[in-house]
Amino acid sequence: MNIKPIRTAEDHRAALKEIEMLMTSEMNTPEGDRLDVLATLVEAYEAKHFPMELADPVDAIKFAMEQKGLTPKDLEPMIGRLNRVYEILSGKRRLTLPMIWRLHEGLGIPAEALIKPPSRDGVAV
């Protein structure tokens, strides 16, 4: 199979190019196995060199609402009365642990994103 570690930006570009060529490969074939291994190596390289920060909790909630076509009223079972929902969405009130659990279960937002301290002017507090 002759695959080597991805250590440089050039290695990364070459691996991405090869992955693109192998995208139509069938599973459990030599090409499919090569695609699987290369994808794993690229994922590891990108996680190390391009780490992604978790979204702000309010931004994560708003994104989930947009993706699911929800209104603030739809969040009442997870957050509480509508005025509480608006307080959360405006950043005037922080999420409680029970709210975090219900939002995680109800909207599928990663709990890690919901427990992150909210940002103020782009700086986590």
Side-chain angles (χ1 to χ4, degrees), residues 36-111:
D36 190 32
V37 172
L38 283 171
T40 301
L41 290 172
V42 166
E43 185 178 334
Y45 177 86
E46 290 176 352
K48 181 177 179 182
H49 292 88
F50 310 111
M52 295 190 61
E53 284 193 37
L54 292 172
D56 176 81
V58 173
D59 291 340
I61 294 168
K62 288 178 179 178
F63 179 78
M65 289 174 65
E66 183 180 316
Q67 293 295 305
K68 297 175 186 318
L70 302 175
T71 65
K73 181 112 176 102
D74 296 320
L75 298 183
E76 284 183 323
M78 294 167 260
I79 294 177
R81 290 196 281 179
L82 194 55
N83 65 328
R84 178 69 40 91
V85 173
Y86 282 114
E87 290 174 341
I88 295 293
L89 293 177
S90 69
K92 292 180 182 176
R93 182 180 291 271
R94 289 188 179 211
L95 293 167
T96 64
L97 192 54
M99 288 177 196
I100 290 169
W101 291 333
R102 291 189 295 264
L103 288 163
H104 171 69
E105 288 292 318
L107 300 180
I109 300 171

